[in-house]
Amino acid sequence: MICATLDDGTPDGQLARVSEDRTTCRIAPGMSLQAMLDGAEPAWSGPECRFDPAACLSPLPRAYQFLDASAYVNHVALVRRARGAEMPESFWHDPLMYQGGSDGFLAPTAPIEGDPEWGMDFEAEVAVITGPVRMGATPREARDAIRLVMLCNDVSLRALIPGELSKGFGFVQSKPACAFSPLAVAPGALPGWDGGRLHGALRVDLNGMPFGRADAGHDMTFDFPALISHAAKTRALAAGTIIGSGTVSNRDSDGGPGRPVAQGGAGYSCIAEQRMVETLLSGSPSTPFLQPGDRIRIWMEDAAGVSLFGAIEQEVAAWP
Amino acid sequence: MICATLDDGTPDGQLARVSEDRTTCRIAPGMSLQAMLDGAEPAWSGPECRFDPAACLSPLPRAYQFLDASAYVNHVALVRRARGAEMPESFWHDPLMYQGGSDGFLAPTAPIEGDPEWGMDFEAEVAVITGPVRMGATPREARDAIRLVMLCNDVSLRALIPGELSKGFGFVQSKPACAFSPLAVAPGALPGWDGGRLHGALRVDLNGMPFGRADAGHDMTFDFPALISHAAKTRALAAGTIIGSGTVSNRDSDGGPGRPVAQGGAGYSCIAEQRMVETLLSGSPSTPFLQPGDRIRIWMEDAAGVSLFGAIEQEVAAWP
């Protein structure tokens, strides 16, 4: 099953089922994706229409829960190295995860509004939507609870993060609204899905130039079932919970920090990582954070070049 | 307006309007509190029925957002003092706030299930529900966005907090599902509401004995409009956002850490604070955290003894 949510002016939008070739769709009139996840049976009685990704909201325009992890521990290790800090050994065994804001996600093509002083960055991620998960669920049970897979642009405000994290309570102001891909796809309809990870290049272009081609199936230290089980240790998770992978990040073949796409590497899934590598190699970063007018595009393709989830395509707008 | 949500088997429950004397209610058939906050007009067409707090879910059984603050900085200062740490001066000017789980709240009378090894504690708080808040809203705008006021038991797992916070990303496992009072009351229907704070004793009994009588209007360093404006700095807040005050905590009249109710003091709104005061006074804590069978009751009364929000009444149950 391939789902999308069309903008019909309501907070939860209109659920649509999209054809396998991603060109047409049918709606289940009056139903939202959350309602389907809650157990309602959709009646796909709408006429077959052309599917227009530009008419889409994020598959869940708002959700009851978004838990975002840092499952690519390579990314965390790089962040620490760039600032000369040691990463605790436990980070390789105990997932890092934060409770993210979920009350209103950006549409896949909505502008990212913010003050350039905040150090705006994108983070390209894979995310899953779960059904209900019982408290104490094992990774095996968690695996069976994965309903849909999508891509995420987890917008981050780099200039606000150090001050906020130093207070000890995680992110609030430094993680504004993020966006998801137009399509949310059932695991069974994704050839690259191995039950826990999604294999394939996560494509990121910045201003039309290739920026990231990291393989989402590589170097993911904790797979989605492990992340979901971690989240469910002390509480049940409701249907419609979104679990994010954190910034996708690949080690270079020599185990090093990797190279930009232009130099034949897999590149990066956020500007901060490219800046960290620049800092490690030359002592200071040279790539600026996002500025008004910058355009970010995030997508994945199958072997035949089909855009699996449609594309997140956002432009940065000055605010206020 | 006084609202409650009755358990009708659906995830969002059935919205009811409760009479001023809290004895009867009428439902708006098929409508949830979230739908009303989203702008739907409720038709209170149900027959007048006896209001039964035991039939209630939390006013929002699930929410798109729960941001919990630590607005009683006295509480934070005590925590730090008890472990010999300095509290940054900035904590008096910059609110401490975390993104809490909101995908499924406990009913006001539902058991608290958990492993006693986790160090289960209650935290009695005041919370508000907002309408939509624009990004960058001033405290003045935020004040006008407050729709309803309620009480919260923010369950905390003390044994899991240090390890989780040391990872730097805030609370996930250490803050399981919390519970809210049966009634959510419009600010205009609360004589103790001054536009930003709720005045009056927040009553907490543990196993039938008075444990806390702190005044929620005293020593609240940041009022709700300041907290909401803080949360909205970099993003809009959706209608139905819950903002918690954090554990209510009063200084003693001499500026000290306060005394238990049994010794004539205002007592405490969580076990951790009583244990901190015990540690400060005698070198070690003597009050244990919650054990299976313990009963916690949280409520507020007006001058005439009317229970303003009904009572959160929860018993601790062993798990698994």
Side-chain angles (χ1 to χ4, degrees):
Chain A
M1 164 127 58
I2 304 173
C3 296
T5 293
L6 307 179
D7 186 359
D8 66 350
T10 67
D12 294 305
Q14 168 61 60
L15 176 63
R17 189 174 66 178
V18 179
S19 60
E20 262 189 61
D21 65 2
R22 278 82 170 161
T23 61
T24 64
C25 66
R26 275 181 199 276
I27 66 167
M31 178 166 288
S32 68
L33 176 54
Q34 181 65 50
M36 184 177 84
L37 292 163
D38 284 338
E41 198 64 52
W44 307 106
S45 58
E48 192 164 0
C49 298
R50 190 177 67 85
F51 172 64
D52 177 12
C56 288
L57 302 174
S58 283
L60 288 171
R62 53 182 183 175
Y64 296 105
Q65 181 152 256
F66 172 40
L67 289 162
D68 198 21
S70 277
Y72 298 82
V73 178
N74 182 53
H75 165 77
V76 184
L78 268 181
V79 180
R80 300 279 175 135
R81 255 177 77 191
R83 64 171 204 244
E86 202 68 26
M87 188 183 75
E89 169 63 21
S90 64
F91 279 29
W92 293 102
H93 315 293
D94 179 32
L96 200 56
M97 181 179 280
Y98 70 90
Q99 189 88 37
S102 61
D103 63 318
F105 298 122
L106 300 177
T109 54
I112 300 169
E113 295 182 311
D115 184 335
E117 297 289 312
W118 293 339
M120 286 181 281
D121 198 359
F122 57 85
E123 291 191 351
E125 309 190 359
V126 178
V128 300
I129 302 176
T130 75
V133 179
R134 74 167 184 93
M135 177 166 153
T138 63
R140 176 73 238 181
E141 292 172 280
R143 179 176 164 149
D144 294 339
I146 297 171
R147 295 276 186 277
L148 294 162
V149 184
M150 55 190 178
L151 305 182
C152 176
N153 179 12
D154 180 38
V155 180
S156 298
L157 305 178
R158 302 293 179 192
L160 305 186
I161 288 177
E164 191 158 53
L165 289 195
S166 75
K167 292 158 70 180
F169 272 21
F171 309 95
V172 176
Q173 294 181 335
S174 48
K175 290 278 188 181
C178 57
F180 292 88
S181 54
L183 300 175
V185 184
L190 288 167
W193 181 256
D194 72 4
R197 295 173 178 81
L198 181 64
H199 296 265
L202 181 58
R203 294 167 185 268
V204 181
D205 280 7
L206 178 60
N207 296 325
M209 300 290 289
F211 191 92
R213 297 292 185 266
D215 193 303
H218 293 176
D219 302 319
M220 189 185 189
T221 310
F222 306 101
D223 68 7
F224 282 105
L227 297 176
I228 296 166
S229 176
H230 176 86
K233 179 181 172 179
T234 60
R235 52 173 165 162
L237 309 180
T241 289
I242 300 172
I243 305 276
S245 67
T247 307
V248 173
S249 177
N250 288 170
R251 274 194 191 82
D252 207 7
S253 52
D254 62 358
R259 282 164 296 152
V261 177
Q263 294 173 26
Y268 310 100
S269 304
C270 65
I271 295 176
E273 192 160 323
Q274 176 147 317
R275 287 168 59 93
M276 285 182 274
V277 173
E278 290 163 355
T279 302
L280 288 170
L281 296 180
S282 71
S284 66
S286 53
T287 306
F289 287 120
L290 295 172
Q291 301 298 319
D294 279 347
R295 288 169 295 111
I296 176 75
R297 186 168 199 272
I298 298 169
W299 80 108
M300 279 182 93
E301 296 175 5
D302 69 7
V306 172
S307 182
L308 289 167
F309 304 97
I312 299 172
E313 292 195 89
Q314 298 185 277
E315 184 164 326
V316 178
W319 183 90
Chain B
M1 162 125 60
I2 304 174
C3 296
T5 294
L6 307 179
D7 187 357
D8 66 351
T10 67
D12 294 304
Q14 168 61 59
L15 176 63
R17 189 174 66 178
V18 179
S19 61
E20 262 188 61
D21 65 4
R22 277 83 169 160
T23 60
T24 64
C25 66
R26 275 181 199 276
I27 65 166
M31 177 166 288
S32 68
L33 175 53
Q34 181 66 50
M36 184 176 85
L37 292 163
D38 284 338
E41 197 63 52
W44 307 105
S45 58
E48 191 163 1
C49 297
R50 189 177 67 85
F51 173 64
D52 175 14
C56 288
L57 302 174
S58 283
L60 287 171
R62 55 182 182 174
Y64 295 103
Q65 180 154 256
F66 172 40
L67 288 162
D68 198 21
S70 277
Y72 298 82
V73 178
N74 183 52
H75 166 77
V76 184
L78 268 181
V79 179
R80 301 278 175 137
R81 254 178 78 192
R83 62 172 203 244
E86 201 67 27
M87 187 182 77
E89 168 64 18
S90 64
F91 279 28
W92 293 103
H93 314 293
D94 180 31
L96 200 57
M97 181 179 281
Y98 69 91
Q99 190 88 36
S102 61
D103 63 316
F105 299 122
L106 300 176
T109 53
I112 300 168
E113 295 183 311
D115 184 335
E117 297 290 311
W118 293 340
M120 286 182 282
D121 197 359
F122 57 86
E123 292 192 350
E125 308 190 1
V126 178
V128 301
I129 302 176
T130 75
V133 179
R134 74 168 182 92
M135 176 167 155
T138 63
R140 175 73 237 183
E141 292 172 280
R143 178 175 164 150
D144 293 339
I146 297 171
R147 294 276 186 278
L148 294 162
V149 183
M150 55 190 177
L151 304 182
C152 176
N153 179 13
D154 180 38
V155 179
S156 298
L157 305 177
R158 303 294 180 192
L160 304 187
I161 287 178
E164 191 159 51
L165 290 195
S166 75
K167 291 158 70 180
F169 272 22
F171 308 96
V172 176
Q173 294 180 335
S174 48
K175 290 276 187 181
C178 57
F180 293 88
S181 53
L183 301 175
V185 183
L190 287 167
W193 181 255
D194 71 5
R197 296 172 176 82
L198 180 64
H199 296 265
L202 181 59
R203 294 165 185 270
V204 181
D205 281 7
L206 179 59
N207 296 325
M209 301 289 290
F211 190 92
R213 297 292 185 265
D215 193 306
H218 294 175
D219 302 319
M220 189 185 189
T221 309
F222 305 101
D223 66 8
F224 281 105
L227 297 176
I228 295 166
S229 175
H230 176 87
K233 178 181 173 179
T234 60
R235 51 174 165 161
L237 309 180
T241 290
I242 301 172
I243 305 276
S245 67
T247 307
V248 174
S249 177
N250 288 169
R251 275 195 188 83
D252 209 9
S253 52
D254 63 358
R259 283 164 297 154
V261 177
Q263 295 174 27
Y268 310 101
S269 304
C270 66
I271 294 175
E273 192 160 323
Q274 175 147 318
R275 287 168 59 92
M276 286 182 272
V277 172
E278 290 162 356
T279 302
L280 288 169
L281 296 179
S282 71
S284 67
S286 52
T287 307
F289 287 121
L290 294 172
Q291 301 297 319
D294 280 346
R295 288 169 293 111
I296 176 76
R297 188 169 198 272
I298 298 169
W299 79 108
M300 280 182 93
E301 296 175 5
D302 69 7
V306 172
S307 183
L308 290 167
F309 304 97
I312 298 172
E313 290 195 272
Q314 297 184 277
E315 185 164 324
V316 178
W319 183 90

